[in-house]
PDB file of all heavy atoms in Angstrom:
ATOM      1  N   HIS A 119      89.019 100.722   4.831  1.00  0.00           N
ATOM      2  CA  HIS A 119      90.128  99.985   4.196  1.00  0.00           C
ATOM      3  C   HIS A 119      91.082  99.385   5.247  1.00  0.00           C
ATOM      4  O   HIS A 119      91.560  98.255   5.097  1.00  0.00           O
ATOM      5  CB  HIS A 119      90.883 100.962   3.289  1.00  0.00           C
ATOM      6  CG  HIS A 119      92.099 100.404   2.640  1.00  0.00           C
ATOM      7  ND1 HIS A 119      92.052  99.725   1.451  1.00  0.00           N
ATOM      8  CD2 HIS A 119      93.408 100.416   3.022  1.00  0.00           C
ATOM      9  CE1 HIS A 119      93.288  99.351   1.119  1.00  0.00           C
ATOM     10  NE2 HIS A 119      94.132  99.759   2.052  1.00  0.00           N
ATOM     11  N   HIS A 123      92.482  95.465   6.163  1.00  0.00           N
ATOM     12  CA  HIS A 123      93.808  94.912   6.497  1.00  0.00           C
ATOM     13  C   HIS A 123      93.744  94.197   7.851  1.00  0.00           C
ATOM     14  O   HIS A 123      94.311  93.122   8.023  1.00  0.00           O
ATOM     15  CB  HIS A 123      94.859  96.022   6.564  1.00  0.00           C
ATOM     16  CG  HIS A 123      95.344  96.475   5.219  1.00  0.00           C
ATOM     17  ND1 HIS A 123      95.950  95.627   4.317  1.00  0.00           N
ATOM     18  CD2 HIS A 123      95.332  97.701   4.620  1.00  0.00           C
ATOM     19  CE1 HIS A 123      96.297  96.304   3.226  1.00  0.00           C
ATOM     20  NE2 HIS A 123      95.923  97.565   3.383  1.00  0.00           N
ATOM     21  N   SER A 143     101.687  99.547   6.256  1.00  0.00           N
ATOM     22  CA  SER A 143     101.398  99.661   4.824  1.00  0.00           C
ATOM     23  C   SER A 143     102.080 100.903   4.265  1.00  0.00           C
ATOM     24  O   SER A 143     102.937 101.499   4.918  1.00  0.00           O
ATOM     25  CB  SER A 143      99.888  99.726   4.622  1.00  0.00           C
ATOM     26  OG  SER A 143      99.396 100.952   5.117  1.00  0.00           O
ATOM     27  N   GLY A 311      99.003  93.038   0.419  1.00  0.00           N
ATOM     28  CA  GLY A 311      98.795  94.294  -0.311  1.00  0.00           C
ATOM     29  C   GLY A 311      97.303  94.539  -0.493  1.00  0.00           C
ATOM     30  O   GLY A 311      96.464  93.728  -0.065  1.00  0.00           O
ATOM     31  N   ASP A 312      96.975  95.661  -1.122  1.00  0.00           N
ATOM     32  CA  ASP A 312      95.565  96.011  -1.270  1.00  0.00           C
ATOM     33  C   ASP A 312      94.821  95.012  -2.147  1.00  0.00           C
ATOM     34  O   ASP A 312      95.314  94.624  -3.219  1.00  0.00           O
ATOM     35  CB  ASP A 312      95.459  97.427  -1.844  1.00  0.00           C
ATOM     36  CG  ASP A 312      95.871  98.460  -0.812  1.00  0.00           C
ATOM     37  OD1 ASP A 312      95.996  98.083   0.370  1.00  0.00           O
ATOM     38  OD2 ASP A 312      96.055  99.626  -1.180  1.00  0.00           O
ATOM     39  N   MET A 316      89.772  91.177   1.353  1.00  0.00           N
ATOM     40  CA  MET A 316      89.766  91.656   2.745  1.00  0.00           C
ATOM     41  C   MET A 316      88.594  92.624   2.981  1.00  0.00           C
ATOM     42  O   MET A 316      88.061  92.704   4.092  1.00  0.00           O
ATOM     43  CB  MET A 316      91.103  92.309   3.116  1.00  0.00           C
ATOM     44  CG  MET A 316      91.403  93.608   2.384  1.00  0.00           C
ATOM     45  SD  MET A 316      93.048  94.243   2.822  1.00  0.00           S
ATOM     46  CE  MET A 316      92.930  95.924   2.178  1.00  0.00           C
TER      47      MET A 316
HETATM   48 ZN1   ZN B 402      96.151  99.176   2.101  1.00  0.00          ZN
END
Side-chain angles (χ1 to χ4, degrees):
H119 176 87
H123 281 301
S143 69
D312 289 348
M316 67 183 194

